[in-house]
Amino acid sequence: MAIDLEKIKKLPPDIKKDFMRMYLRLAEKKKILKIREDFLSFTKHIWPEFIEGGHHRIIAKKFNDLATGKLKRLIVNMPPRHTKSEFASSLLPAWMIGRNSKLKIIQTTHTGELAIRFGRKAKTLMDSPEYKEVFETRLREDSQAAGRWETAQGGEYFAAGVGGAITGRGADLLIIDDPHSEQDAMNLTALEKAYEWYTSGPRQRLQPGGSIVCVMTRWNVKDLTGMLLNHQKEAKSDQWELVEFPAIMPSGKPVWPEYWNFKELETVKASISVSKWNAQWMQNPTS
């Protein structure tokens, strides 16, 4: 809403003061509404040091679609150290349960310890003043465990490692973050066990209308992403929307140039280097 400053200046002082108070209050309400409705706005609000890249805008748009129910099955493949877990396993659960305080979330990753760490980060976000400025969702006072907590309004969060028991739990939102360790990704038996656990465990705990997000770095074409995409050819199988980001784009430029430059990416080492992961992605972009 544009304000004609010249007209405002002509108002009596008391009316001008009241007008500006109401205008600022309206602007604050619009800001809060934007943060509630838009994942990227929430990220910038809760994480002022965040360095935005083009891939973040794409992921944030998909998360918005998840929140509104437009999208139900999402896979995001991206290299290490590109804000994968911060987005999917810390910010997303906190934002989603802020929007819906009764939401039930199951968070999984390749180890229970790491899953609990994600739960602690999300819980810490929800306890922050910045979060409470926007959302009315509050944690139950007796929810002390980092990996198992509840909201005062009836929402639930449960963290588990691959292979862990999820009996008795239900999920409106299932988040899978790097289901394979780099070592297990080289072991076909381990990959198959992870998929079997997914189909017999967390996938069976999904509530009607529930959503699944799988974010991971790909180390093997037979990993969970590969198996999920392969099985979607079967009748009545989940149909996935796939978003992929190589560390280095086909143009030769980093996918996140605001943070990484080409020389730094070449020196990043893991069990498989980023450059090797990038080469694998270009050879098998949808496998």
Side-chain angles (χ1 to χ4, degrees):
M1 180 176 69
I3 295 180
D4 189 328
L5 294 178
E6 293 304 317
K7 290 183 178 180
I8 297 300
K9 289 178 181 178
K10 295 176 182 179
L11 292 172
D14 57 336
I15 296 177
K16 180 166 61 176
K17 183 177 180 180
D18 288 341
F19 176 85
M20 291 306 299
R21 185 186 301 114
M22 288 187 292
Y23 176 77
L24 292 174
R25 188 180 301 166
L26 177 61
E28 183 64 21
K29 286 185 177 180
K30 286 184 175 180
K31 175 186 173 183
I32 289 174
L33 184 61
K34 180 71 171 175
I35 293 169
R36 288 175 180 170
E37 292 183 347
D38 180 63
F39 178 78
L40 196 58
S41 296
F42 169 72
T43 298
K44 294 175 180 178
H45 172 73
I46 209 82
W47 184 9
E49 301 82 10
F50 168 65
I51 300 173
E52 181 181 343
H55 67 301
H56 296 124
R57 291 188 287 274
I58 294 171
I59 297 171
K61 173 61 168 60
K62 299 302 180 184
F63 285 178
N64 288 347
D65 290 343
L66 279 167
T68 60
K70 184 178 178 181
L71 181 60
K72 293 292 186 179
R73 302 288 184 270
L74 174 65
I75 295 174
V76 180
N77 294 156
M78 57 195 296
R81 303 177 193 174
H82 280 66
T83 329
K84 170 173 47 62
S85 293
E86 288 85 350
F87 260 41
S89 297
S90 297
L91 293 163
L92 180 63
W95 180 65
M96 290 284 282
I97 209 165
R99 290 170 52 94
N100 179 1
S101 59
K102 295 183 179 180
L103 198 73
K104 299 183 186 301
I105 301 173
I106 292 179
Q107 166 82 55
T108 69
T109 187
H110 55 275
T111 68
E113 180 182 356
L114 183 56
I116 291 171
R117 192 184 307 168
F118 290 150
R120 182 177 293 109
K121 287 184 177 181
K123 190 170 180 286
T124 299
L125 284 178
M126 294 175 65
D127 275 330
S128 70
E130 293 80 8
Y131 187 90
K132 293 177 179 179
E133 287 175 11
V134 178
F135 296 115
E136 296 179 0
T137 301
R138 297 292 182 266
L139 295 165
R140 278 183 48 168
E141 292 185 5
D142 60 352
S143 283
Q144 302 297 324
R148 300 183 184 185
W149 45 261
E150 299 178 11
T151 68
Q153 296 86 351
E156 297 178 0
Y157 176 98
F158 181 78
V162 169
I166 309 182
T167 305
R169 300 287 170 174
D172 300 304
L173 174 63
L174 169 60
I175 303 172
I176 306 166
D177 184 347
D178 276 336
H180 316 296
S181 68
E182 295 158 21
Q183 293 75 26
D184 285 346
M186 303 304 154
N187 184 323
L188 184 57
T189 300
L191 296 179
E192 291 174 346
K193 285 183 177 179
Y195 179 72
E196 290 172 3
W197 173 79
Y198 163 77
T199 56
S200 62
R203 179 61 186 86
Q204 298 300 318
R205 310 312 306 172
L206 200 68
Q207 305 272 42
S211 301
I212 308 176
V213 181
C214 177
V215 294
M216 58 185 294
T217 298
R218 299 206 65 186
W219 305 106
N220 193 307
V221 296
K222 296 185 181 295
D223 57 17
L224 185 60
T225 288
M227 292 186 179
L228 291 175
L229 295 178
N230 184 55
H231 282 84
Q232 72 178 347
K233 301 171 186 176
E234 301 172 1
K236 298 183 180 181
S237 294
D238 288 329
Q239 299 300 301
W240 298 87
E241 181 151 345
L242 175 64
V243 180
E244 297 182 298
F245 301 106
I248 300 170
M249 301 297 285
S251 64
K253 295 181 180 180
V255 70
W256 191 11
E258 297 84 357
Y259 188 80
W260 291 106
N261 62 47
F262 185 82
K263 178 178 279 189
E264 288 172 331
L265 283 175
E266 285 192 313
T267 64
V268 172
K269 300 293 182 181
S271 294
I272 299 177
S273 69
V274 169
S275 59
K276 285 184 179 179
W277 184 91
N278 187 73
Q280 176 178 296
W281 179 88
M282 287 192 288
Q283 291 170 12
N284 302 280
T286 59
S287 59

